[in-house]
Every structure is written in structure tokens, then in C-alpha cells.
Amino acid sequence: MGNKVTRDDFEWVYTEQPHTQRRREILAKYPSIKSLMVPDPTFKWIVTGMVLTQFLACYLVKDLPWKWVFFWAYVFGGCINHSLTLAIHDISHNVPFGNKRAKWNRWFAVFANLPIGVPYSASFKKYHIDHHRYLGGHILDTDIPTDFEGWFFCTPFRKLIWVILQPVFYAFRPMFTNPRGVTQMEIYNGLVQFLADFIICHFWGVKPVVYFVGGTVLCTGLHPIAGHFIAEHYMFLKGYETYSYYGSLNLITFNVGYHMEHHDFPSIPGSRLPMVKKIAAEYYDTLPQHQSWVRVLWDFIFDKTISPYARVKRICKLADNPERHHYSTPYKKTDVSRPS
């Protein structure tokens, strides 16, 4: 359990992210794909059903022994909560109501956030668009682990701890790597979330709130679904920085496994990403892909060539308009310099 990984730095590249050029080529060859860039009318009803299911479940667990609260949080509630975090991901791309109703999307994300137990949706939106715009960008892409994570979590046991603590790193990493001021929407998100938690705790006790929060933490750490965090962008093969997974877990994760397709076309709802792969099959069938998120977790922990350092990084030029929903900023060696 003590074998150290062989990487001691990120994979630095001096090229543009691959999704920009592939997007251009696919749209030129298959312009019909643009017809998929519209809101998903069923999405909001699916998410509403999931939220209501979780509120029913939190009522049912209020009188259970603690061991069963955590059991159901891991095997049931946490799975729904993890799926809701991915629903919030799709909402950040304006899937439910489209680009013209941005505020509706933001408030629907706050609603979807309620069973997660902690305010998340507004902060996620703030940073996630930059993950697309500056994929792998030094400082700018907060999905990239810190140098401390790469340096310290370098043995199988330490990598196991890192996997368990993934929700902690995802929550607090942006505060250290790319801190930004608190937005008005984040304040609203926090007020609504803590008010909901208080009301639940007041009428049903603390166990339902622990069921919510515990499920979120447990199922975004060492859990089969959480394998997608690592599967999406960790460099399992040199030169490839995004990977898709086409297995059955996509059925409960809004097709987040179609990650290559998602980064090529972020404005296409997850429900339609399989159609992208079908239309432009020659662009995706030959690319490396993952067969199992559980296998991804296993390989990450025990493979000496993979660690938090196994990420592609680049220097990106800041976009002229940071608020613009744009994803194809080219590489330029300006504005943000690589650390020495």
C-alpha cells in the first residue's frame, strides 16, 4: 500500500483544448446537430419527482435507528442526491428553460439543491462554465487538483483517502485556487437551503437533515457513481484529457458519462447526447472510453501512473467577456503564467 506514484507534476501542454476543433468539424459535417440545442421539456418534471421522493424519504427515516439512517443515505438517498448534483450541472447549461429564461434556471437549481442539504447550485454555476471555457486552464479551471493534492496523495492508501474526501476538495478547492466574491444568487441559495434544513429539523428532527447531508457526502466520495469524477478528465492514456463512459449508470446520472460529447456540445441536454454520438459516430467510436466507473476508482487508487497529478494543464487567455456562455477560448500564453 506504500508504492508511490511515478508522476511529480501535471501534464503541461501548449495546445488548444481538443473539443473546440472537433465541434467545428462535426457542425460543418452534421449541421442538423444544432437542432438538439434546445431545452429538454421532460427534465424539470424528472428533477421535481426526485426532489419530492427525497422529501418523502427524509420523513420516513425520521424515526429509524441511526445505523439505518446512514444505510439508506448511502444506498438510496445519496444516489438520488448525486443524481441531483448532476441535474444541477445540466441546469447550469440552461437545460430546463433555455438561455432566454436564465433566472428561471437559477431558481430551479436552488429547488433541485434542497435535498442535497448544503447550498451548492449557485457556486457550482459560477465556476463550472469556466471549466468548459478554460478546460485544464491553470488557476482558471478549479476542477484541477492543487499541487498539494498531487504531491501528498501519492500512495494507494492516501489516494483512497483522497477519493473519500472528494466532496471536501470539490467544495473548498475554488476558495484557494481561484477565489471570487460571493454573488447575490449564492446568498439566496444559502438562505433558502438553511431555511429548508431548519424547517425539516424543527418538525421532523435532525435525522432527516443528516440523511440529506450524509447521503450527499457518502455518495460523492467512495461510491460507484462517484467514479465519474475521475473518469471524466484524469489522464488514463497520455494525450487524452476527456473520456466518455457509455454504461448503464448513465440512466441515473443524466448521461454524464457521455462526457466527450458534452464538452463538444455543452448546450445539448444530457438526454440527447446519445444522439450526438449516433450522428457523429466516426468521431467518438475510436476514442478511448471507460467501461466501468468502479474500475476507474480501482485503477486510480492502485495504478502507480495515476494520481491527482494525472491531469492535462494549459495556460489560457482570459475571455473578453467572462459572463458570456462561450466555450472555445484558444490557447494564448498570456494573462496567467505557469508556476516555476
Side-chain angles (χ1 to χ4, degrees):
M1 294 291 286
N3 292 333
K4 295 188 67 173
V5 300
T6 55
R7 297 195 66 91
D8 60 1
D9 196 1
F10 299 103
E11 183 77 9
W12 288 91
V13 299
Y14 302 94
T15 56
E16 183 182 3
Q17 60 164 292
H19 303 285
T20 306
Q21 181 60 32
R22 185 163 52 243
R23 182 186 309 119
R24 294 193 192 107
E25 292 180 11
I26 293 176
L27 285 176
K29 189 173 183 178
Y30 302 108
S32 61
I33 283 181
K34 291 181 180 179
S35 66
L36 304 177
M37 300 176 184
V38 293
D40 180 350
T42 65
F43 177 85
K44 57 183 175 290
W45 303 116
I46 294 172
V47 173
T48 299
M50 293 166 64
V51 171
L52 296 179
T53 297
Q54 275 294 73
F55 274 102
L56 174 61
C58 84
Y59 172 78
L60 295 176
V61 304
K62 67 184 179 65
D63 296 320
L64 291 180
W66 279 108
K67 65 178 180 180
W68 290 111
V69 172
F70 284 103
F71 172 81
W72 288 113
Y74 186 80
V75 304
F76 179 74
C79 296
I80 296 180
N81 278 7
H82 196 132
S83 186
L84 282 171
T85 67
L86 297 171
I88 290 171
H89 163 262
D90 270 19
I91 297 169
S92 75
H93 294 289
N94 299 326
V95 165
F97 301 106
N99 295 330
K100 294 182 179 180
R101 292 177 173 175
K103 287 190 175 181
W104 289 33
N105 291 303
R106 302 294 80 76
W107 281 106
F108 189 65
V110 171
F111 170 71
N113 196 146
L114 292 176
I116 294 172
V118 293
Y120 161 79
S121 63
S123 298
F124 177 82
K125 164 70 175 179
K126 182 170 68 175
Y127 285 103
H128 181 66
I129 299 306
D130 279 352
H131 167 62
H132 282 271
R133 184 187 291 119
Y134 307 116
L135 180 63
H138 176 55
I139 297 177
L140 301 172
D141 183 0
T142 58
D143 189 62
I144 299 283
T146 61
D147 275 302
F148 170 78
E149 292 170 70
W151 167 77
F152 184 78
F153 296 100
C154 59
T155 67
F157 177 74
R158 292 185 187 183
K159 287 193 285 182
L160 173 63
I161 299 301
W162 185 86
V163 169
I164 294 171
L165 296 178
Q166 275 190 103
V168 176
F169 289 115
Y170 269 91
F172 293 102
R173 185 187 297 138
M175 301 179 188
F176 296 94
T177 60
N178 191 13
R180 299 181 183 177
V182 176
T183 66
Q184 187 178 59
M185 200 66 220
E186 285 178 295
I187 295 173
Y188 293 153
N189 187 192
L191 289 174
V192 171
Q193 186 64 57
F194 291 131
L195 178 61
D197 291 346
F198 174 80
I199 293 172
I200 292 171
C201 192
H202 177 75
F203 287 102
W204 295 342
V206 71
K207 287 182 179 178
V209 177
V210 173
Y211 166 80
F212 275 172
V213 178
T216 299
V217 173
L218 291 172
C219 281
T220 51
L222 188 61
H223 191 278
I225 299 176
H228 80 85
F229 287 127
I230 297 171
E232 290 166 358
H233 295 294
Y234 283 77
M235 195 178 64
F236 283 74
L237 288 177
K238 187 176 178 64
Y240 293 92
E241 57 186 295
T242 307
Y243 301 79
S244 285
Y245 156 81
Y246 302 118
S248 58
L249 288 178
N250 280 301
L251 296 173
I252 58 172
T253 57
F254 297 97
N255 284 330
V256 74
Y258 286 76
H259 216 68
M260 189 77 73
E261 294 83 351
H262 170 63
H263 270 266
D264 286 352
F265 301 100
S267 57
I268 294 180
S271 61
R272 299 193 183 105
L273 291 176
M275 297 175 66
V276 173
K277 182 179 185 298
K278 182 177 180 180
I279 292 171
E282 69 272 25
Y283 286 92
Y284 298 109
D285 288 347
T286 59
L287 294 174
Q289 58 186 253
H290 291 294
Q291 305 299 320
S292 165
W293 283 340
V294 174
R295 179 59 186 269
V296 165
L297 291 172
W298 178 272
D299 288 345
F300 178 84
I301 293 170
F302 293 106
D303 191 328
K304 292 193 298 182
T305 66
I306 306 172
S307 76
Y309 267 143
R311 292 291 298 265
V312 170
K313 289 192 77 172
R314 54 175 53 85
I315 309 301
C316 294
K317 174 178 166 48
L318 291 172
D320 294 333
N321 183 357
E323 298 301 320
R324 191 158 52 105
H325 201 77
H326 178 65
Y327 306 98
S328 57
T329 301
Y331 164 84
K332 289 187 179 180
K333 203 168 182 179
T334 56
D335 292 315
V336 182
S337 59
R338 174 180 172 178
S340 55

